[in-house]
Amino acid sequence: MELELGLSLPSSDMMMEKRIKTNFCKKRSFDEVLDEKTVTLPLFLQREEDGHGNSDSELNYGGGRVIVGWPPVKLPRRRTNCVKVNMEGIAIGRKVDLSLHDSYQALFRTLYMMFPKKHEDLTYAHVRRTEEEDGGCDYKVTYEDEDGDWMLVGDVPWEAFIMSAKRLRIIN
Amino acid sequence: MVGRFRWAAMFPDEVWEHVFSFLTSDADRNAAALVCRNWNRIERRSRKRVFVGNCYSVAPTVAVRLFPEVRAAVIKGKPHFADFNLVPSDWGGGAEAWVEAMAEGWPNLEELRFKRMVVSDDCLDLIARSFKNFKVLSLVSCDGFSTSGLAAIAANCRNLRELNLRESEVEETCLNWISHFPESCTSLVALDIACLEGEVNASILERLISRCSNIMTLRLNHSVPLERLVGLLQRAPQLMDLGTGKFSARHNPQLFSRLESAIAGCKNLRNLSGFWEPGLTYLPAVYSICEGLTSLNLNYATIQNPELVKLISRCKNLRRLLVMDLIEDSGLVAVASSCKLLQELRVFPSDPYDAAEPVSLTEQGLVAVSAGCPMLHSVLYFCRQMTNAALLTVAKNRPNLTCFRLCIIEPRTPDYVTQEPLDTGFSAIVESCKDLRRLSVSGLLTDLVFKSIGASANYLEMLSIAFAGDGDMGLHYILSGCKNLRKLEIRDCPFGDKPLLQNASKLETMRSLWMSSCSVTLGACRQLARAMPRLNVEVINESGRGPLVAQPDNCPVEKLYIYRTIAGPRTDTPQCVWTI
């Protein structure tokens, strides 16, 4: 699958062609893979400003509608789920334990603490953090899934994400 | 006592104790305890089994003091929605207070069953050391412990009969915890370690199984390969309940025939589960025992048709079937004609988040089973489409339903033929199924369905609602009806303050109420808490807006958990939880 990074805002008709993977997924045939159209990843990862006050349980990180804890299935959670995190331009990576987080919000909080914006001191990073909790940020985080594909973090339900994420990469 | 029964007062306590020993259900014993002071005293002092549906409803020390002769206890912790990540992981449900009180006051405790509790290794250690005749440890959907804790149990519980870890989350800190069962341990009857993520030493397990000649239940985890399963089965041909490990291997005809004969040798096999990563070549190895099976759990087995149907159709005596939607409508039609004794059916989504590639499982499958299986009384069904007509048919076919949980995966999905809400369908279910005890609704629903449920569901004990209703009336219908309602869990419904305040006293007749992403305000919670001192009103706000004490009455409440209690507000609430 070709990935193009284009200058576009996230919109609802831009779908990630990739399937959301769980443990029970069927593998696509070779032909299906070759048939994939190119996909444009949004350059800006912004919390969608929702005019009609979406309920708290609907997180719109990149265009898809994702509801916490729905459908009501118990997914076996992975324990000590440590993944490497690298930030573009920074040689030394970190490790984050996904199993210690229960939501994307929590994960991003940890990532901001691990990788505060360059040239900022700690106090500024603290101020930015509260801003980020309200939704506006320009951290683009991608992850490598179990098939080796790089996906945008936030598109799939949290439970599915922690099962399939192998490592993270933050793009400036 | 009433005059005519004075003779009864002449009986010594032991006689009454003996009489009460024939009352097996908790409800009957509870009823006896309410007859008079004497019976109350005698009953509670001789009660051997206690069930605590909400660990915070009573203080552990009080429970232990009231029932001094308890030998078996069941304690449940977190609300059901914790299974779906709706409850913060640090919410509570810790087992320490209970284990400490029990260690102190119930030295003769034999059976301990926890569900959705946080059990630490220290707890397990205390359990291992405190109860001389400990026989049964069951930790269902629990977390907080590791295999080190299990090692302590294995090493110290000399008469351990049952160790059940179903669906728990266990840290793997001690690699060979199984080896901590001493050579002298021969008492194991049931071992369920299917939830363990790590490697289990199959050789040590084999030796353990060999010396436990009474082993009846053995549920392995995915790490046990097919080759080792053969050895285990050969050593335990008396098994009644088997959970296989990994059910695939490289093509090996010798292995296949060894497996086939080992399984055939287990003539008492009634329950079968496991089938992690199933390989189609080895499935026929279980065919010989299919006819004897009463329970088959293929919840984790990604087997598709036709092999899936071939397997299930052989299980003519099945009472209980758990399967993925890979069975499809055609498979359920086959089930309807093969499994005439079926009582319970659960169909799970193989790909819960991917709507783009639907599997051919629709309302037809459900209708087929409802028509073909006259003893079917318990249903859990995940699907993507439904019609009122189908639900009406199910209601007509199966008035004996006691549990009906339908989950249409996309919220607010209407009848796909008429585009109408599914009110009439679910109303038919509650009106026809007079013994319905548990109901989960889904799809597009207005307040009308709640009017029916409130009016007709007289024996309903547990109700789950999501993305449904129009407004306050919906909740009001439920709370003012449903005479036997015990547990109500609601998410993403437009229910607000009024029905809660209008039906405050109802809440004390229930075990608990969960509401998340509804329209309840802090002010209503404050009012409710003031009016009802025997309720704990817990507000959960995770977005960290500052202490709730300072927030105004119109502040919206994200998550609300209300439960009756005689223990008062709990002392172990984390930061995000406030008891109002």
Side-chain angles (χ1 to χ4, degrees):
Chain A
M1 185 181 100
E2 294 290 315
L3 283 182
E4 283 178 358
L5 284 176
L7 276 171
S8 66
L9 291 168
S11 73
S12 54
D13 46 31
M14 179 171 57
M15 273 176 35
M16 291 298 288
E17 288 288 321
K18 280 296 167 178
R19 299 300 163 86
I20 294 156
K21 307 257 191 286
T22 66
N23 262 351
F24 316 119
C25 204
K26 297 164 275 223
K27 292 285 184 186
R28 287 168 303 146
S29 69
F30 197 54
D31 294 332
E32 280 177 37
V33 174
L34 290 181
D35 257 349
E36 297 277 16
K37 306 193 282 288
T38 59
V39 171
T40 306
L41 282 180
L43 211 51
F44 303 114
L45 170 60
Q46 253 178 348
R47 184 82 179 268
E48 292 220 351
E49 291 307 316
D50 210 302
H52 31 268
N54 249 353
S55 69
D56 288 332
S57 36
E58 296 188 31
L59 299 167
N60 278 308
Y61 275 96
R65 202 163 125 259
V66 163
I67 302 171
V68 173
W70 188 266
V73 285
K74 277 186 270 193
L75 281 184
R77 284 199 284 265
R78 280 220 307 242
R79 253 135 314 290
T80 50
N81 198 350
C82 280
V83 295
K84 273 200 194 151
V85 191
N86 281 88
M87 182 159 179
E88 206 171 36
I90 296 180
I92 298 176
R94 302 286 301 272
K95 274 197 130 180
V96 67
D97 186 347
L98 294 180
S99 62
L100 294 180
H101 302 79
D102 56 11
S103 65
Y104 286 116
Q105 241 181 337
L107 174 63
F108 284 133
R109 266 198 290 273
T110 302
L111 292 179
Y112 303 147
M113 286 195 291
M114 284 182 170
F115 297 96
K117 278 307 251 173
K118 273 192 285 194
H119 309 307
E120 279 165 13
D121 58 42
L122 283 171
T123 48
Y124 189 46
H126 175 265
V127 167
R128 290 224 79 208
R129 225 182 299 130
T130 32
E131 277 176 52
E132 275 134 18
E133 269 163 20
D134 290 333
C137 69
D138 54 5
Y139 247 42
K140 288 155 288 301
V141 188
T142 58
Y143 72 100
E144 185 182 4
D145 75 3
E146 60 214 351
D147 290 333
D149 300 313
W150 286 90
M151 322 266 287
L152 200 60
V153 166
D155 270 358
V156 312
W158 175 254
E159 297 84 8
F161 167 70
I162 58 173
M163 295 298 291
S164 63
K166 293 267 165 309
R167 54 190 169 128
L168 305 179
R169 188 168 173 77
I170 306 173
I171 304 173
N172 277 311
Chain B
M1 269 183 149
V2 179
R4 278 187 302 151
F5 294 105
R6 285 241 158 79
W7 54 267
M10 297 190 311
F11 288 173
D13 289 356
E14 291 78 14
V15 172
W16 289 117
E17 275 180 33
H18 184 66
V19 170
F20 294 155
S21 69
F22 293 98
L23 298 175
T24 45
S25 85
D26 280 347
D28 288 342
R29 287 197 74 113
N30 289 348
L34 291 176
V35 166
C36 64
R37 277 196 215 286
N38 257 351
W39 279 27
N40 186 284
R41 179 180 52 84
I42 298 167
E43 191 284 315
R44 65 173 183 79
R45 272 155 63 162
S46 62
R47 190 184 284 224
K48 297 272 188 299
R49 317 190 76 90
V50 88
F51 172 85
V52 182
N54 174 3
C55 63
Y56 291 119
S57 61
V58 59
T61 44
V62 168
V64 168
R65 183 173 42 82
L66 282 178
F67 304 103
E69 292 300 316
V70 164
R71 297 282 182 275
V74 178
I75 323 272
K76 296 188 178 182
K78 300 184 195 178
H80 175 232
F81 275 178
D83 286 355
F84 318 125
N85 277 354
L86 288 177
V87 178
S89 49
D90 56 353
W91 172 84
E96 301 80 23
W98 280 97
V99 176
E100 281 164 13
M102 292 191 267
E104 183 71 39
W106 288 341
N108 297 317
L109 189 70
E110 295 177 1
E111 303 178 16
L112 188 49
R113 293 177 170 87
F114 283 134
K115 184 170 185 181
R116 282 194 207 95
M117 302 270 298
V118 179
V119 183
S120 64
D121 280 346
D122 283 345
C123 283
L124 292 181
D125 201 63
L126 189 55
I127 292 169
R129 290 183 285 113
S130 308
F131 309 115
K132 294 290 163 276
N133 203 20
F134 199 65
K135 297 197 170 105
V136 172
L137 181 62
S138 172
L139 303 172
V140 174
S141 299
C142 294
D143 64 282
F145 62 101
S146 77
T147 42
S148 305
L150 296 180
I153 296 286
N156 297 300
C157 300
R158 299 293 159 88
N159 296 316
L160 195 67
R161 281 215 302 247
E162 178 177 331
L163 179 59
N164 176 8
L165 306 175
R166 187 161 67 88
E167 286 169 28
S168 289
E169 281 184 35
V170 187
E171 289 255 353
E172 309 274 342
T173 51
C174 172
L175 285 180
N176 267 327
W177 69 275
I178 292 247
S179 64
H180 289 247
F181 281 106
E183 285 300 313
S184 53
C185 170
T186 56
S187 51
L188 269 186
V189 172
L191 183 63
D192 183 343
I193 53 173
C195 69
L196 293 184
E197 292 258 309
E199 294 279 319
V200 170
N201 188 318
S203 307
I204 299 181
L205 190 57
E206 228 176 75
R207 283 204 292 280
L208 175 65
I209 298 307
S210 297
R211 58 182 189 271
C212 295
S213 53
N214 289 321
I215 191 107
M216 289 298 166
T217 297
L218 181 61
R219 295 189 188 162
L220 307 167
N221 78 340
H222 68 91
S223 79
V224 180
L226 223 45
E227 296 86 2
R228 303 313 302 256
L229 177 63
V230 174
L232 288 163
L233 293 178
Q234 285 167 343
R235 282 161 181 73
Q238 74 280 11
L239 273 183
M240 289 184 66
D241 186 322
L242 170 67
T244 73
K246 189 164 167 219
F247 210 76
S248 52
R250 267 207 295 250
H251 180 66
N252 180 343
Q254 265 193 346
L255 174 59
F256 180 89
S257 62
R258 283 172 58 227
L259 181 64
E260 196 182 28
S261 74
I263 288 178
C266 298
K267 304 215 182 295
N268 295 329
L269 218 44
R270 297 281 170 270
N271 285 20
L272 194 54
S273 60
F275 293 100
W276 308 99
E277 297 166 58
L280 297 183
T281 35
Y282 287 92
L283 275 185
V286 308
Y287 283 177
S288 59
I289 45 92
C290 280
E291 197 150 331
L293 289 183
T294 54
S295 169
L296 181 60
N297 184 349
L298 299 170
N299 190 357
Y300 299 109
T302 50
I303 312 170
Q304 290 176 292
N305 292 337
E307 289 80 10
L308 183 56
V309 175
K310 262 201 261 192
L311 176 64
I312 299 176
S313 317
R314 290 168 170 264
C315 304
K316 308 254 184 264
N317 287 301
L318 221 50
R319 312 286 200 263
R320 192 166 180 262
L321 175 63
L322 279 71
V323 73
M324 287 218 253
D325 58 6
L326 302 169
I327 192 166
E328 301 192 325
D329 288 337
S330 56
L332 287 178
V333 168
V335 168
S337 68
S338 313
C339 309
K340 289 304 190 187
L341 300 177
L342 196 67
Q343 296 177 12
E344 181 179 348
L345 174 69
R346 297 192 190 200
V347 180
F348 295 93
S350 53
D351 227 344
Y353 307 113
D354 193 347
E357 205 184 280
V359 118
S360 183
L361 179 103
T362 68
E363 77 281 4
Q364 314 273 13
L366 179 61
V367 170
V369 182
S370 76
C373 303
M375 294 165 63
L376 185 70
H377 67 83
S378 176
V379 171
L380 169 61
Y381 200 78
F382 282 84
C383 60
R384 293 201 148 87
Q385 64 183 53
M386 188 51 57
T387 62
N388 282 311
L391 288 173
L392 257 89
T393 309
V394 170
K396 193 164 63 80
N397 289 341
R398 293 276 65 76
N400 54 327
L401 283 176
T402 56
C403 170
F404 187 69
R405 295 154 73 189
L406 178 66
C407 180
I408 304 167
I409 291 178
E410 180 66 30
R412 303 191 189 94
T413 304
D415 176 321
Y416 75 93
V417 169
T418 64
Q419 297 307 311
E420 281 174 10
L422 292 171
D423 295 339
T424 22
F426 278 105
S427 297
I429 296 279
V430 293
E431 281 154 20
S432 164
C433 307
K434 310 238 185 277
D435 280 326
L436 200 65
R437 306 238 181 261
R438 187 165 180 186
L439 176 66
S440 299
V441 298
S442 59
L444 182 65
L445 296 166
T446 72
D447 284 346
L448 285 178
V449 73
F450 300 116
K451 191 167 186 203
S452 305
I453 296 175
S456 304
N458 294 318
Y459 290 101
L460 194 66
E461 295 176 359
M462 183 167 179
L463 178 60
S464 307
I465 308 172
F467 303 100
D470 303 316
D472 288 343
M473 278 316 285
L475 181 55
H476 176 69
Y477 287 135
I478 299 295
L479 292 178
S480 58
C482 295
K483 292 194 299 234
N484 281 297
L485 196 63
R486 291 212 250 125
K487 287 181 282 182
L488 181 57
E489 46 186 29
I490 303 172
R491 63 164 295 175
D492 293 273
C493 296
F495 301 148
D497 300 337
K498 258 185 41 195
L500 280 182
L501 295 172
Q502 272 173 344
N503 296 283
S505 50
K506 169 76 169 181
L507 298 177
E508 229 182 69
T509 68
M510 292 164 51
R511 184 189 299 175
S512 64
L513 166 65
W514 170 278
M515 287 178 76
S516 55
S517 304
C518 298
S519 309
V520 181
T521 66
L522 194 53
C525 295
R526 287 174 172 143
Q527 265 187 280
L528 197 57
R530 265 197 304 270
M532 311 291 295
R534 280 183 305 202
L535 290 181
N536 274 356
V537 178
E538 292 189 8
V539 167
I540 302 170
N541 268 26
E542 290 166 283
S543 53
R545 253 168 292 195
L548 267 189
V549 138
Q551 300 293 336
D553 277 350
N554 63 0
C555 172
V557 162
E558 287 171 14
K559 298 174 181 176
L560 175 62
Y561 187 50
I562 300 174
Y563 53 90
R564 66 179 176 190
T565 179
I566 56 171
R570 58 186 174 110
T571 52
D572 61 352
T573 47
Q575 267 218 330
C576 57
V577 178
W578 282 267
T579 310
I580 308 285

